[in-house]
Amino acid sequence: MTEKLFIVAAPGLEALTARELATLGLTGVTVAGGMELRGGLDSIYRANLHLRTASRILVRLGEFYAAAFSELRKKASRLPWERYLAPGQPVALRATCHKSRLYHSDAVIERVLGAIGDRLGQAAPLSAWDEESEGQPPQGVVIRLANNLCTISVDSSGALLHRRGYRLATAKAPLRETLAAAMVLASGWDGRAPLLDPFCGAGTILIEAALWARRIAPGKARRFTFMDWPGFDASLWEATLAAALAAERPLEAPLLGSDRDAGAIQFAAANAVRADVAADIEFSCRPLSAIAPPPGPGWLITNPPYGVRVSAAKDLRNLYAQFGNILRRRCPGWQVAFLCNSVPLMRQTGFTLERSHSWSNGGVRVYLARGVV
Ligand SMILES: C[S@@+](CC[C@H](N)C(=O)[O-])C[C@H]1O[C@@H](n2cnc3c(N)ncnc32)[C@H](O)[C@@H]1O
């Protein structure tokens, strides 16, 4: 049986997520905020396990017009909830209403919760929707009302997909794993040339680079909500996981990370151990001025500090100028890709750069600046 799936991706990441899906043999339509496609359990399991840049995967349960609460409850109770929820299982509902007769989201949630109870023969306890939950959250249901059209989806992922399970320790301003993976995929690095991150912090970019280059599935060590569905197919999941493990391969190029902060390097090393790529990355505590790149040319993919505070502006200008000077001396001919929120700061490097992607990092608009040293 195939279902309508929606792969949620952060703004600006949709095209990369679509590319990832294509390599899994899944094609769909790219829309704002993600991709729509049709697929069965196999697609749901593989997408959750393998996608590096997606946030979560929703399964469309139903779509219908509802202009009155009684209509909403009646129509929602006809949906096949039993595929995703056991009677009495806690559920977290989130509703958005836009240009619709039913505009009170709490009342919409109450009716859909009632409909679930009607269908399953037992009331479902309502849990809070916690987007940032560290653990395994309850089954999530997303309700969207727009122009009186009600779309109801169930979440298949649970904790957001950037939670791979390896990053317990973070230094200052850590990068979301999905964005770090996006930088690696968008940079053009092919996994064969050396890769250096001289501002590596907790090591997220290098860990994501190692996972991608070794074809390690980012979700192999975590749980997903679909594992709790009454129709969970354990043997299909085991076969999906076994195929992913069999496709892993060794690294072909050195990966090096450094940071001037000794605590950050300790975090990075601990995270790499948990991600099972400790042997693939060499971390060292050193300032930018002491970087020692291996023979190249290789790639620098990095997330230098970028300030939002005006007081730090002069220091940052100096740091970006130093970044340019040091790379010109030690990494001539290397490709560089870095995240930055300010065109004047990018210019301080003296490189000719293109801004190839625009993303949001913790609410700050950032660009991927790419060029050759
Ligand atoms: C935005 S954070 C990088 C975060 C990293 N991508 C992660 O996921 O944790 C910038 C890092 O640059 C480091 N840093 C700042 N100035 C530096 C310098 N002159 N030399 C080396 N590292 C520096 C900071 O210690 C900080 O860890």
Side-chain angles (χ1 to χ4, degrees):
M1 191 175 62
T2 67
E3 325 252 12
K4 225 170 158 184
L5 310 181
F6 188 68
I7 317 281
V8 183
L13 295 186
E14 299 96 334
L16 290 168
T17 308
R19 224 170 77 190
E20 284 199 87
L21 276 172
T23 63
L24 294 175
L26 302 172
T27 40
V29 182
T30 304
V31 294
M35 296 268 305
E36 287 174 344
L37 69 147
R38 291 205 73 87
L41 286 181
D42 173 58
S43 306
I44 296 171
Y45 295 178
R46 286 201 307 134
N48 272 297
L49 177 62
H50 288 283
L51 290 179
R52 297 170 201 279
T53 58
S55 306
R56 67 167 71 254
I57 294 158
L58 302 174
V59 181
R60 285 273 146 86
L61 194 58
E63 202 166 53
F64 51 80
Y65 280 92
F69 283 121
S70 55
E71 191 185 7
L72 172 66
R73 182 158 177 162
K74 198 164 92 198
K75 289 183 173 171
S77 69
R78 291 191 197 128
L79 301 177
W81 293 101
E82 62 282 358
R83 279 195 218 145
Y84 306 102
L85 282 165
Q89 193 180 322
V91 62
L93 289 89
R94 190 172 65 174
T96 52
C97 306
H98 184 65
K99 289 190 182 160
S100 296
R101 294 270 298 275
L102 304 179
Y103 58 85
H104 193 296
S105 56
D106 284 347
V108 166
I109 285 175
E110 193 193 305
R111 298 318 192 279
V112 174
L113 191 68
I116 297 173
D118 296 345
R119 175 83 182 188
L120 300 181
Q122 193 177 332
L126 182 64
S127 284
W129 181 289
D130 180 5
E131 188 80 349
E132 294 306 322
S133 165
E134 290 281 348
Q136 186 59 27
Q139 175 63 59
V141 172
V142 178
I143 309 156
R144 189 166 171 269
L145 262 155
N147 302 311
N148 300 320
L149 180 66
C150 179
T151 309
I152 301 188
S153 308
V154 291
D155 174 39
S156 72
S157 305
L160 285 165
L161 293 178
H162 76 87
R163 296 195 185 280
R164 326 284 203 212
Y166 69 74
R167 202 171 72 177
L168 303 180
T170 60
K172 279 179 284 181
L175 199 58
R176 223 170 225 208
E177 294 82 341
T178 35
L179 199 54
M183 289 179 70
V184 173
L185 295 178
S187 71
W189 179 62
D190 66 0
R192 298 213 176 91
L195 177 59
L196 176 62
D197 179 355
F199 301 104
C200 75
T204 320
I205 295 172
L206 288 161
I207 292 172
E208 291 297 323
L211 293 174
W212 174 75
R214 294 195 48 205
R215 303 296 184 261
I216 296 177
K220 76 170 184 181
R222 56 163 275 168
R223 273 191 66 76
F224 298 99
T225 284
F226 64 70
M227 294 172 172
D228 297 325
W229 290 350
F232 176 53
D233 185 340
S235 55
L236 175 62
W237 168 247
E238 276 156 28
T240 307
L241 192 56
L245 297 179
E248 290 181 4
R249 57 194 209 188
L251 199 68
E252 293 180 43
L255 302 186
L256 291 99
S258 52
D259 197 289
R260 68 175 178 192
D261 179 346
I265 291 298
Q266 272 176 10
F267 288 152
N271 288 333
V273 168
R274 274 188 294 268
D276 213 8
V277 293
D280 299 316
I281 310 170
E282 198 184 309
F283 288 110
S284 60
C285 179
R286 63 178 83 203
L288 174 68
S289 54
I291 56 165
W299 290 72
L300 288 124
I301 307 181
T302 193
N303 168 210
Y306 50 78
V308 202
R309 283 175 301 126
V310 178
S311 58
K314 188 158 174 281
D315 291 349
L316 280 175
R317 280 201 301 274
N318 290 340
L319 180 68
Y320 278 71
Q322 190 196 18
F323 182 53
N325 289 332
I326 289 173
L327 296 198
R328 270 185 290 278
R329 277 205 302 276
R330 308 218 186 126
C331 309
W334 284 48
Q335 303 275 342
V336 61
F338 63 97
L339 218 53
C340 191
N341 72 333
S342 145
V343 175
L345 276 184
M346 284 180 209
R347 291 210 182 104
Q348 286 291 311
T349 63
F351 304 140
T352 305
L353 297 164
E354 63 154 347
R355 276 176 284 157
S356 67
H357 292 75
S358 164
W359 297 317
S360 160
N361 182 24
V364 179
R365 171 75 28 219
V366 290
Y367 304 104
L368 185 67
R370 286 171 50 188
V372 182
V373 178

